[in-house]
């Protein structure tokens, strides 16, 4: 039996990062992956979907060409070519990732890994072998949740995985679920010219991002022609000759060529032999402490299965933390400064507390907002949609949250993530020189507003 200092079960953005970090610490490392290296993020999630979204953003920009004084014909969508580009991007990154893992002298095992004891993993697949690990890091991730009332057939009723395998665009698409996954696909396919319906049981789309961002995105989507149905429950989906019929409780049904079900994910913890290892679960989640240690000494868990944040970058950071602790370097997780991005057009990004969350935690909250319409760079770029918003503690000025909706929000959230992580104040931000003309100046202006000293924004009227 081959023996390793560390076995990592799962080769996604948490697992392979954990393996690389362990190898950097001079451990002998095995990485077990049943499917493609890179996990859901690289192969069936983040990268392929953002490649398709990049195409959609270019279409949107071309349609604005006349506003720049550029005359072009209407863009024509060649979807098979887009799919080919998406597949090439994914395969290229996957090949590079495999090379990176091998360069770190990590042993890759191809197959489904399952605990047979707390220290041994039995692998079934291309490699059929049992291996021993002094420490084991579980990083098995999650998959789209199959709803019993309307199970996936991957032809007319799609998951967030099978929609990425489409070779032909549907004329219309009903999206069940108005969270970030549903809204990203809605934004993308609407720019491709597909008729979109979003069906959401909550009172608003992207409810976890708060009412301000939800309201702004709803307005943008409605301008695009996306039809949004909120406060409605799906009772079932019937397949018809023309497509699907989505039956709604107390509302007329929605007809579409295809349906995308984007209402949650299932954790991959029920078939990996956790009972043989003695690892406890709670509703499929593996409880861990701030060092990512499970209830069994020497066994760690990271990523979606920990029930913290279902985000690739959180899994990666957890991977580093788990590897450090597994090899004797104390390291604790912190979740107060986790950026989250919705890759719609315009993008949405948040970090820290939303205004209502800060109020619920008894902060004396101050919210300062600055619109991109007021920025010269945004006007020059025809990207004036949206705003930045800082949530701070009114007396100390401590920055405890930030939100953005607008062009390149995914990049703009980075400095405020650092600000929260380093416990900076609006004074620190206001006293930092920002390059001009840039979109990042919006943070400076919002900080000045928080201090009641706006420069490029009208002052509050004195009572």
């Amino acid at each position: 039996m081959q023996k390793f200092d560390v076995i990592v079960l799962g080769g996604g953005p948490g697992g392979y990062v954990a393996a690389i970090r362990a190898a950097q610490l001079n451990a002998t490392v095995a990485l077990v992956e049943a499917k493609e290296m890179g996990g859901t993020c690289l192969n069936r999630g983040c990268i392929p979907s953002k490649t398709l979204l990049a195409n959609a953003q270019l279409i949107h920009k071309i349609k604005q060409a006349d506003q720049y004084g550029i005359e072009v014909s209407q863009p024509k969508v060649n979807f098979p070519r887009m799919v080919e580009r998406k597949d090439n991007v994914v395969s290229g990154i996957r090949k590079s990732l495999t090379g990176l893992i091998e360069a770190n002298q990590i042993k890759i095992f191809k197959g489904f890994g399952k605990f047979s004891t707390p220290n041994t993993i039995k692998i079934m697949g291309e490699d059929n072998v049992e291996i021993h690990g002094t420490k084991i890091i579980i990083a098995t991730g999650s998959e789209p949740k199959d709803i019993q009332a309307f199970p996936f057939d991957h032809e007319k009723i799609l998951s967030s995985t099978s929609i990425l395998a489409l070779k032909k665009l549907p004329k219309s698409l009903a999206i069940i679920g108005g969270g970030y996954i549903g809204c990203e696909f809605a934004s993308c396919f609407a720019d491709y010219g597909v008729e979109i319906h979003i069906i959401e049981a909550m009172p608003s789309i992207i409810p976890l991002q708060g009412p301000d961002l939800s309201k702004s995105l709803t307005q943008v989507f409605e301008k695009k022609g996306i039809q949004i149905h909120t406060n409605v429950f799906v009772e079932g989906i019937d397949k018809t000759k023309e497509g699907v019929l989505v039956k709604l409780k107390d509302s007329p049904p929605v007809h579409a060529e295809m349906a995308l079900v984007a209402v949650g994910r299932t954790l991959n913890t029920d078939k990996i032999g956790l009972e043989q290892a003695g690892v406890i679960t709670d509703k499929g989640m593996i409880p861990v402490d701030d060092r990512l240690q499970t209830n069994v000494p020497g066994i760690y868990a990271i990523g979606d299965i920990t029930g913290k944040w279902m985000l690739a970058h959180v899994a990666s950071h957890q991977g580093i933390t788990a590897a450090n602790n597994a090899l004797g370097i104390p390291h604790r997780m912190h979740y107060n400064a986790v950026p989250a991005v919705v890759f719609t057009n315009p993008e949405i990004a948040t970090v820290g507390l939303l205004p209502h969350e800060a109020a619920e935690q008894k902060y004396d909250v101050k919210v300062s907002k600055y619109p991109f319409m007021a920025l010269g760079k945004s006007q020059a770029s025809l990207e004036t949609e949206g705003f930045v918003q800082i949530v701070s503690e009114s007396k100390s000025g401590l920055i405890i949250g930030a939100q953005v909706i607008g062009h390149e929000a995914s990049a703009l959230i980075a400095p405020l993530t650092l600000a929260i992580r380093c416990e900076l104040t609006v004074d620190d931000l206001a006293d930092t020189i920002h390059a001009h003309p840039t979109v990042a100046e919006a943070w400076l202006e919002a900080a000045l507003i928080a201090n009641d000293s706006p420069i490029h924004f009208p002052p509050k009227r004195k009572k």
Side-chain angles (χ1 to χ4, degrees):
M1 181 184 294
Q2 296 183 63
K3 295 185 177 182
F4 298 90
D5 297 324
V6 177
I7 298 173
V8 181
L9 195 58
Y16 80 74
V17 169
I20 290 174
R21 179 56 183 154
Q24 289 174 345
L25 296 174
N26 298 317
T28 55
V29 183
L31 180 57
V32 182
E33 173 54 55
K35 298 179 180 177
E36 307 96 335
M37 195 59 64
T40 294
C41 180
L42 171 55
N43 300 284
R44 303 175 295 281
C46 313
I47 302 304
S49 64
K50 276 50 180 185
T51 306
L52 293 178
L53 278 160
N55 299 336
Q57 289 165 2
L58 182 57
I59 292 169
H60 175 77
K61 207 67 181 171
I62 292 171
K63 290 178 178 179
Q64 290 182 304
D66 63 327
Q67 298 179 57
Y68 289 91
I70 301 170
E71 297 180 3
V72 297
S73 59
Q74 279 293 101
K76 181 180 178 181
V77 173
N78 186 333
F79 192 64
R81 285 283 302 277
M82 291 180 172
V83 171
E84 182 183 3
R85 188 180 86 86
K86 178 258 297 181
D87 292 341
N88 288 338
V89 168
V90 170
S91 61
I93 295 174
R94 186 168 58 235
K95 182 178 179 181
S96 296
L97 174 59
T98 302
L100 177 64
I101 292 167
E102 291 173 345
N104 279 275
Q105 298 184 343
I106 296 164
K107 174 67 175 177
I108 298 174
F109 289 91
K110 299 177 181 179
F112 186 87
K114 183 177 181 179
F115 282 94
S116 49
T117 75
N119 291 102
T120 56
I121 299 292
K122 184 177 182 180
I123 302 165
M124 296 158 285
E126 187 174 330
D127 293 312
N128 286 284
V129 66
E130 194 167 48
I131 58 176
H132 178 279
T134 305
K135 302 290 175 66
I136 297 178
I137 300 173
I138 311 169
T140 47
S142 64
E143 299 292 340
K145 189 174 184 179
D146 203 337
I147 308 299
Q148 191 173 7
F150 33 88
F152 304 128
D153 69 356
H154 304 301
E155 293 180 0
K156 291 185 178 181
I157 303 177
L158 309 174
S159 68
S160 59
T161 297
S162 57
I163 194 172
L164 292 169
L166 287 179
K167 302 298 182 184
K168 181 182 178 182
L169 276 179
K171 293 181 180 179
S172 55
L173 179 66
I175 299 176
I176 319 303
Y180 76 93
I181 293 175
C183 284
E184 286 184 0
F185 281 111
S187 180
C188 180
F189 280 79
D191 281 334
Y192 289 167
V194 177
E195 178 188 316
I196 300 293
H197 293 262
I198 298 177
I199 302 165
E200 170 57 50
M202 298 290 285
S204 64
I205 58 173
I206 54 165
L208 296 181
Q209 277 68 32
D212 291 342
L213 299 176
S214 174
K215 181 180 178 181
S216 294
L217 187 63
T218 297
Q219 291 171 346
V220 172
F221 274 9
E222 288 176 343
K223 287 179 185 177
K224 286 175 180 268
I226 295 172
Q227 299 178 60
I228 301 173
H229 313 260
T230 54
N231 275 320
V232 291
F233 292 86
V234 176
E235 294 186 320
I237 303 176
D238 291 341
K239 289 184 279 187
T240 67
K241 185 177 179 181
E242 294 78 20
V244 295
L245 178 71
V246 183
K247 296 181 293 185
L248 307 179
K249 185 178 181 181
D250 301 325
S251 295
V254 171
H255 298 264
E257 187 176 336
M258 294 180 182
L260 165 65
V261 180
V263 287
R265 297 183 67 80
T266 298
L267 303 179
N268 295 327
T269 55
D270 64 339
K271 296 178 181 179
I272 58 173
L274 293 179
E275 59 279 2
Q276 276 75 36
V279 175
I280 63 172
T281 60
D282 181 10
K283 297 178 182 178
M285 297 180 292
I286 300 178
V288 292
D289 61 18
D290 59 2
R291 297 179 182 179
L292 287 312
Q293 172 82 54
T294 69
N295 65 297
V296 178
I299 299 180
Y300 300 78
I302 62 175
D304 292 358
I305 57 174
T306 63
K308 303 296 183 182
W309 293 74
M310 283 192 170
L311 297 170
H313 44 279
V314 173
S316 295
H317 197 81
Q318 288 178 323
I320 292 171
T321 299
N324 283 341
N325 287 305
L327 293 166
I329 300 175
H331 196 208
R332 297 180 184 274
M333 280 297 298
H334 51 84
Y335 299 102
N336 67 312
V338 175
V341 181
V342 183
F343 289 91
T344 46
N345 186 9
E347 292 180 346
I348 289 172
T350 64
V351 65
L353 299 177
L354 295 166
H356 73 274
E357 293 172 333
E360 289 168 0
Q361 294 188 26
K362 307 302 181 184
Y363 281 100
D364 185 6
V365 181
K366 191 164 191 177
V367 180
S368 51
K369 182 185 295 186
Y370 191 79
F372 290 119
M373 178 65 77
L375 279 181
K377 180 62 182 295
S378 296
Q379 292 193 35
S381 304
L382 290 177
E383 299 289 356
T384 56
E385 195 81 56
F387 58 85
V388 302
Q389 180 172 277
I390 296 174
V391 182
S392 59
E393 202 282 321
S394 61
K395 292 182 180 179
S396 66
L398 180 70
I399 299 170
I400 54 178
Q403 297 85 42
V404 196
I405 178 169
H407 184 63
E408 293 292 341
S410 54
L412 284 171
I413 204 64
L416 269 293
T417 302
L418 182 63
I420 294 173
R421 177 72 181 93
C422 296
E423 300 182 348
L424 301 184
T425 67
V426 289
D427 284 340
D428 294 319
L429 196 55
D431 198 36
T432 299
I433 297 173
H434 289 65
H436 174 80
T438 62
V439 181
E441 285 179 284
W443 292 124
L444 169 63
E445 300 291 349
L448 292 169
I449 290 172
N451 283 336
D452 298 319
S453 57
I455 299 298
H456 296 99
F457 204 70
K460 289 183 179 179
R461 291 183 180 180
K462 295 181 180 180
K463 297 181 179 179

